[in-house]
């Protein structure tokens, strides 16, 4: 999706956990190929500070975002009784709280511009459950609720809020 946005002429700020040096070639390739700015920010989104630093870095690199694509995810496999509570907390933090925090960060500028696009990458598992993926199913379901609530709050502001629910890939 990020590459599609770059192809469409959007400046892009990518996020991940791999070292910045490992992303420099990709960023340079996209910049050259699509004639847009491409930046990469490495942050831990399980912590509020990482969310705030990602937003700050993105704004410093390309200005306030017009489009936010929330796609950060962790997932653990196994039955509910074997899932460590720390893994549950990590999934809630990365998969839901980071999206919530980034939406909070970008909304003031989007409201002021009377334009914005908020996209949550959820899953078909947000619409139905499956065994041995309790954290993933729960957080993807929560993202759908977050998307709906934000859509209701921003409908009059020129901001759209949508969830994309792909199946298994």
């Amino acid at each position: 999706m990020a590459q599609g946005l770059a192809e469409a002429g959007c400046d892009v700020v990518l996020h991940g956990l791999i070292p910045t040096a490992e992303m420099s070639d990709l960023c340079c390739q996209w910049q050259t190929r699509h004639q847009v700015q491409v930046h990469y920010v490495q942050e831990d989104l399980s912590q509020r500070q990482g969310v705030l630093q990602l937003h700050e870095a993105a704004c410093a690199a390309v200005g306030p975002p017009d489009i936010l694509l929330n796609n950060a995810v962790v997932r653990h496999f196994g039955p509910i009784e074997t899932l460590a509570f720390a893994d549950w907390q990590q999934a809630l933090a990365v998969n839901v709280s980071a999206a919530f925090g980034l939406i909070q960060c970008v909304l003031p500028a989007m409201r002021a511009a009377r334009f914005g696009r908020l996209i949550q990458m959820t899953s078909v598992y947000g619409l139905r459950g499956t065994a041995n993926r309790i954290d993933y199913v729960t957080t993807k379901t929560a993202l759908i609720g977050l998307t709906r609530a934000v859509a209701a709050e921003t409908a009059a502001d020129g901001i759209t809020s949508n969830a994309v629910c792909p199946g298994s890939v």
Side-chain angles (χ1 to χ4, degrees):
M1 292 181 85
Q3 186 171 3
L5 289 168
E7 289 171 358
C10 297
D11 293 330
V12 175
V13 177
L14 302 168
H15 163 266
L17 296 175
I18 65 173
T20 303
E22 293 180 31
M23 290 296 291
S24 63
D25 285 346
L26 177 74
C27 290
C28 289
Q29 289 170 13
W30 285 14
Q31 283 180 181
T32 302
R33 184 178 310 136
H34 307 301
Q35 299 299 301
V36 296
Q37 293 184 58
V38 180
H39 301 272
Y40 174 76
V41 179
Q42 178 188 6
E43 285 294 342
D44 176 4
L45 298 186
S46 70
Q47 303 297 315
R48 175 78 173 156
Q49 191 60 33
V51 171
L52 297 174
Q53 288 173 342
L54 171 58
H55 178 254
E56 183 179 306
C59 289
V62 299
D66 296 320
I67 302 168
L68 173 65
L69 173 60
N70 279 313
N71 192 33
V73 67
V74 296
R75 57 185 157 198
H76 304 90
F77 299 90
I80 188 171
E81 63 270 15
T82 65
L83 181 66
F85 191 74
D87 291 342
W88 171 258
Q89 293 291 92
Q90 179 196 32
L92 291 172
V94 172
N95 301 3
V96 181
S97 295
F100 169 82
L102 285 166
I103 290 169
Q104 276 190 321
C105 287
V106 302
L107 268 182
M110 287 182 176
R111 285 187 198 272
R114 305 223 22 98
F115 177 85
R117 300 293 177 255
L118 304 169
I119 305 162
Q120 309 337 302
M121 286 302 297
T122 179
S123 167
V124 67
Y125 294 120
L127 301 171
R128 63 177 174 86
T130 192
N132 299 316
R133 299 186 69 186
I134 189 69
D135 64 330
Y136 189 75
V137 169
T138 300
T139 58
K140 292 304 183 175
T141 302
L143 281 177
I144 293 170
L146 174 69
T147 301
R148 289 177 176 149
V150 171
E153 286 189 29
T154 61
D157 298 321
I159 300 167
T160 61
S161 177
N162 292 281
V164 179
C165 305
S168 294
V169 293

